[in-house]
Amino acid sequence: MTVGSEVPLADSRNIPALLAALRTQQRSCTVLVTGTPGGSIHVRDGLVVAMETPGAPGIEGLLLRSGRIGEPEWSAVRASDTSHEHLAAELVDRGLVGAGELEVISLSALFDAAFALSLAVPDSWEVADPVPTLYRNAGVTPERLLGEVSRRINLLAGEPGSVAALARTRMRQASTADLPGTVDRLPARHQDVLAATDGRRTARDIAFALGRGLFAVMLDLRHLLDRGLVRPHAPATDRRPSTAARIAPSRTGPSPAAPGSATPSAVAPSALDSVSLSLPRRLPGRNSAPAPRPHD
């Protein structure tokens, strides 16, 4: 049940303030965020249950790209629930994913999407009626969500703006001619990230290719950077989405750098590294609550 939908969202200067107001009113709605990457925030009774954004793999991407379930099984699940209101239950009932495992994946995708959205300033937002989405968790408070985003940024930050810059910088493998055996001693997950680092992909592209979270991939890239195994291929990209392939390559050792290729010494800082998920100007008539419905 949606409570207090007729009450205006008084203090909604940015997304954290908006989520706090929705929490107070115990609202159920979908917040549509425009921009790059943009996305959707799904709120049920004031708690955030899911986020979807092109900036990070969602539950579907994590399940399919990782090989946890196959395309035929996923297509069958979607066909059985055209409303998409019971996808989580279908996955569990068919024995494709355990209930506990799906809850972990659901929360992981939620936190990862919040992290991805925090790395850029959206253009605008709009509170709309709730729409069906795939999730299996009890929901998290805005405070817990922002606390986790802050923790992740602090783990990755080297200097102001460095996290956002790292997320959008294309990486290439460095020459390991002087480091025999180094790659073979890396954990499997680091080898996978290294194999996917081809000079064209950003951390986001690698995350989609491997079916892993954006934050986890960025942690591994930071480790590989610190060991001198990868380096920025070019200055940070502009705001247009990357067109690099999202298919993970086979795990192989890194190739030597091309002779005479440029080797920038550090990732350029950015002013977009912010935990606040701050928003730009309001758009008249959009940043307001929808009219109450008879069943609310």
Side-chain angles (χ1 to χ4, degrees), residues 146-161:
L146 295 176
E148 178 60 20
V149 170
S150 177
R151 184 188 72 85
R152 294 183 178 207
I153 287 181
N154 289 335
L155 284 174
L156 285 168
E159 58 186 49

Side-chain angles (χ1 to χ4, degrees), residues 28-91:
S28 292
C29 61
T30 300
V31 180
L32 305 175
V33 182
T34 61
T36 303
S40 302
I41 305 173
H42 300 273
V43 181
R44 299 292 184 269
D45 296 326
L47 299 176
V48 182
V49 298
M51 284 191 181
E52 299 161 348
T53 173
I59 297 176
E60 178 181 350
L62 295 176
L63 290 173
L64 293 177
R65 286 296 188 182
S66 66
R68 181 63 183 81
I69 65 174
E71 288 280 1
E73 290 80 8
W74 174 248
S75 297
V77 168
R78 290 180 64 88
S80 68
D81 179 24
T82 55
S83 68
H84 296 169
E85 293 183 351
H86 309 290
L87 291 176
E90 281 291 331
L91 286 168

Side-chain angles (χ1 to χ4, degrees), residues 104-130:
V104 170
I105 295 173
S106 176
L107 285 172
S108 175
L110 167 60
F111 289 129
D112 206 47
F115 169 72
L117 284 174
S118 76
L119 301 179
V121 179
D123 294 333
S124 63
W125 55 265
E126 178 183 3
V127 177
D129 291 332

Side-chain angles (χ1 to χ4, degrees), residues 63-214:
L63 290 173
L64 293 177
R65 286 296 188 182
S66 66
R68 181 63 183 81
I69 65 174
E71 288 280 1
E73 290 80 8
W74 174 248
S75 297
V77 168
R78 290 180 64 88
S80 68
D81 179 24
T82 55
S83 68
H84 296 169
E85 293 183 351
H86 309 290
L87 291 176
E90 281 291 331
L91 286 168
V92 174
D93 292 345
R94 291 169 180 256
L96 298 173
V97 185
E101 180 184 6
L102 186 56
E103 181 174 352
V104 170
I105 295 173
S106 176
L107 285 172
S108 175
L110 167 60
F111 289 129
D112 206 47
F115 169 72
L117 284 174
S118 76
L119 301 179
V121 179
D123 294 333
S124 63
W125 55 265
E126 178 183 3
V127 177
D129 291 332
V131 297
T133 188
L134 172 59
Y135 74 94
R136 190 181 182 91
N137 63 79
V140 300
T141 64
E143 294 80 11
R144 181 185 173 192
L145 188 67
L146 295 176
E148 178 60 20
V149 170
S150 177
R151 184 188 72 85
R152 294 183 178 207
I153 287 181
N154 289 335
L155 284 174
L156 285 168
E159 58 186 49
S162 63
V163 179
L166 175 62
R168 66 176 184 269
T169 298
R170 304 178 194 275
M171 294 290 177
R172 68 177 178 86
Q173 298 174 13
S175 173
T176 56
D178 298 328
L179 300 171
T182 298
V183 175
D184 293 338
R185 292 196 297 268
L186 291 174
R189 72 177 193 278
H190 289 167
Q191 293 188 39
D192 289 339
V193 171
L194 186 61
T197 304
D198 58 3
R200 298 175 56 232
R201 290 188 175 100
T202 62
R204 167 188 173 276
D205 299 323
I206 296 173
F208 274 98
L210 299 178
R212 294 184 56 198
L214 175 66

